[in-house]
Amino acid sequence: MLKQRTVALGAILLSQIALPLHAAALMGFEDSAMLMTEIGRYNQEWMLNYSPALGHAIGVEQMRMSGKGEQATTISGINYTGLIKRWNMPAAQANVWFNGSVGEARGQYDGFAYTPSLQFDVESTRLYFLAKARMIRAPNMNYDSAAVQAGFSFYETGFHQTQPWFVIEAKTMRNNDPGLQITPALRLINKNYFLEFGVTNPWQGEGFAPRLNAMFVF
């Protein structure tokens, strides 16, 4: 009986800690710091936050992007992340997140900027799905985006081992060229980090764009 309770407790803890990281959660566990970054041709972004309590994190964020034939715009701001709802299932987990920042835009567009978003993700040890909608606004600027991701792991691993995943993302961004970005990627996940290497629109020949995503939890 004690062994069964220990196994059950371990499964609950694993669902609270491991799965959100695998699903590219927007924060780490309680009293942790997290660094996220995306580096690509069409936009660059980084976010550093701290989670003082389970389900809440605050930090700083900066993103750089440009529309069709425009000078790049950089948005710097204070960011908040909140877990709206979580469903723990026997072999999977689903989450709804709010994430957003307020700050200042500089470049092609200047002034007060805000970037609220909603994200839904669900994951088992072998399958993964995410959908996200995001407003990216400043005076006279609209770079609103929407994205869906889906993926699968090549095989199951232990909590302390690195697990490889194949993930593909479809993303649209208003006033951006290209408007539709398809990115197949290889994602490597460990308990404290993930690294993702992909190529956006690989069929475009010289127009294809390598992309790197990374997340580290401290």
Side-chain angles (χ1 to χ4, degrees), residues 44 63-67 69-75 106-110 143:
Q44 300 85 44
M63 64 182 73
R64 185 177 186 272
M65 61 203 71
S66 59
E70 296 179 343
Q71 175 189 354
T73 296
T74 299
I75 298 175
R106 289 296 182 194
Q108 177 74 27
Y109 304 99
D110 298 312
Y143 288 160

Side-chain angles (χ1 to χ4, degrees), residues 15 19 86-95 122-125 127:
S15 71
L19 284 176
R86 169 168 292 167
W87 296 269
N88 288 315
M89 295 164 275
Q93 186 182 89
N95 306 281
V122 60
E123 183 189 21
S124 70
T125 57
L127 299 173

Side-chain angles (χ1 to χ4, degrees), residues 1-15 90:
M1 179 65 70
L2 178 60
K3 182 177 180 180
Q4 291 176 338
R5 290 179 178 177
T6 301
V7 171
L9 178 60
I12 293 172
L13 291 175
L14 184 62
S15 71

Side-chain angles (χ1 to χ4, degrees), residues 107-125:
Q108 177 74 27
Y109 304 99
D110 298 312
F112 175 74
Y114 54 98
T115 65
S117 70
L118 285 176
Q119 174 179 307
F120 169 77
D121 57 65
V122 60
E123 183 189 21
S124 70
T125 57

Side-chain angles (χ1 to χ4, degrees), residues 27-32 50-58 80-83:
M27 72 178 74
F29 47 87
E30 183 176 354
D31 197 29
S32 70
Y50 169 72
S51 178
L54 182 64
H56 301 276
I58 188 167
Y80 169 76
T81 300
L83 178 62

Side-chain angles (χ1 to χ4, degrees), residues 82-217:
L83 178 62
I84 298 175
K85 179 67 175 178
R86 169 168 292 167
W87 296 269
N88 288 315
M89 295 164 275
Q93 186 182 89
N95 306 281
V96 177
W97 305 87
F98 170 83
N99 176 262
S101 64
V102 292
E104 185 177 31
R106 289 296 182 194
Q108 177 74 27
Y109 304 99
D110 298 312
F112 175 74
Y114 54 98
T115 65
S117 70
L118 285 176
Q119 174 179 307
F120 169 77
D121 57 65
V122 60
E123 183 189 21
S124 70
T125 57
R126 298 297 302 275
L127 299 173
Y128 163 71
F129 175 80
L130 176 149
K132 182 176 182 178
R134 187 181 197 183
M135 296 176 64
I136 305 175
R137 301 287 184 93
N140 302 311
M141 185 192 82
N142 182 342
Y143 288 160
D144 291 359
S145 66
V148 293
Q149 294 180 359
F152 63 88
S153 64
F154 293 95
Y155 49 83
E156 293 190 21
T157 62
F159 181 53
H160 295 280
Q161 298 173 304
T162 299
Q163 185 176 27
W165 289 67
F166 173 79
V167 178
I168 187 166
E169 178 188 78
K171 179 179 180 180
T172 63
M173 179 177 287
R174 292 177 63 92
N175 301 309
N176 194 266
D177 186 16
L180 175 62
Q181 301 171 19
I182 306 294
T183 307
L186 175 66
R187 178 179 293 181
L188 303 176
I189 298 175
N190 200 287
K191 63 175 183 176
N192 293 111
Y193 69 84
F194 84 69
L195 297 173
E196 183 178 285
F197 307 91
V199 177
T200 300
N201 296 353
W203 60 84
Q204 288 189 340
E206 294 183 359
F208 80 94
R211 192 180 78 176
L212 168 67
N213 286 351
M215 180 187 72
F216 303 93
V217 177

